[in-house]
């Protein structure tokens, strides 16, 4: 069973139809193009890193691993961001990903 953050579960409880719609839109976006699940999650991981969303980084790192991404691919994704989002944000993302891979 997937592990969801408490905040997400609270939103799901308060707004079940809204959350279902958001999940449906995300699923439709993934199915609408040629990218595989692993690549989609690496892109979403990068977006979460740019937003400095620790929870999003955790979630998409876990999902990328589940979709077949290696630790090396995940860390390379983050390394590619250093010149775009800056070293401090990338370093924070490395730390957040380490939370996930250390628990694996």
């Amino acid at each position: 069973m997937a592990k969801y953050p408490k905040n997400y579960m609270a939103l799901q409880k308060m707004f079940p139809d809204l959350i279902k719609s958001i999940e449906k839109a995300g699923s439709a976006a993934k199915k609408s193009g040629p990218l595989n699940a692993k690549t989609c999650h690496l892109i979403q991981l990068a977006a979460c890193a740019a937003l400095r969303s620790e929870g999003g980084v955790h979630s998409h790192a876990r999902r990328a691993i589940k979709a077949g991404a290696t630790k090396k691919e995940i860390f390379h994704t983050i390394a590619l961001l250093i010149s775009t989002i800056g070293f401090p944000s990338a370093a924070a993302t490395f730390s957040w990903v380490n939370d996930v891979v250390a628990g694996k």
Side-chain angles (χ1 to χ4, degrees), residues 2 8 13 18 20 29 31 42 48 83-84 97:
Y8 180 84
K13 187 175 181 178
L18 175 62
K20 282 180 191 170
K31 292 176 185 175
L42 291 174
C48 290
S83 64
T84 307
V97 168

Side-chain angles (χ1 to χ4, degrees), residues 46 49-50 52 57 74-75 77-98:
R52 293 187 60 97
V57 167
I74 291 170
F75 288 124
T77 298
I78 301 164
L80 291 169
L81 300 174
I82 290 172
S83 64
T84 307
I85 67 172
F87 182 79
S89 293
T93 303
F94 274 108
S95 174
W96 300 333
V97 168
N98 273 322

Side-chain angles (χ1 to χ4, degrees), residues 45-68:
L45 169 67
C48 290
L51 293 169
R52 293 187 60 97
S53 170
E54 182 177 359
V57 167
H58 286 160
S59 176
H60 287 291
R62 278 194 298 272
R63 293 179 193 188
I65 290 167
K66 186 176 180 185

Side-chain angles (χ1 to χ4, degrees), residues 6-47:
K6 289 179 186 178
N7 188 50
Y8 180 84
M9 296 305 292
L11 285 168
Q12 190 177 53
K13 187 175 181 178
M14 285 191 288
F15 305 104
D17 292 338
L18 175 62
I19 298 302
K20 282 180 191 170
S21 294
I22 292 168
E23 289 174 350
K24 206 172 188 180
S27 180
K30 284 182 181 78
K31 292 176 185 175
S32 70
L35 299 177
N36 63 32
K38 177 178 81 172
T39 303
C40 290
H41 287 298
L42 291 174
I43 290 168
Q44 290 175 301
L45 169 67

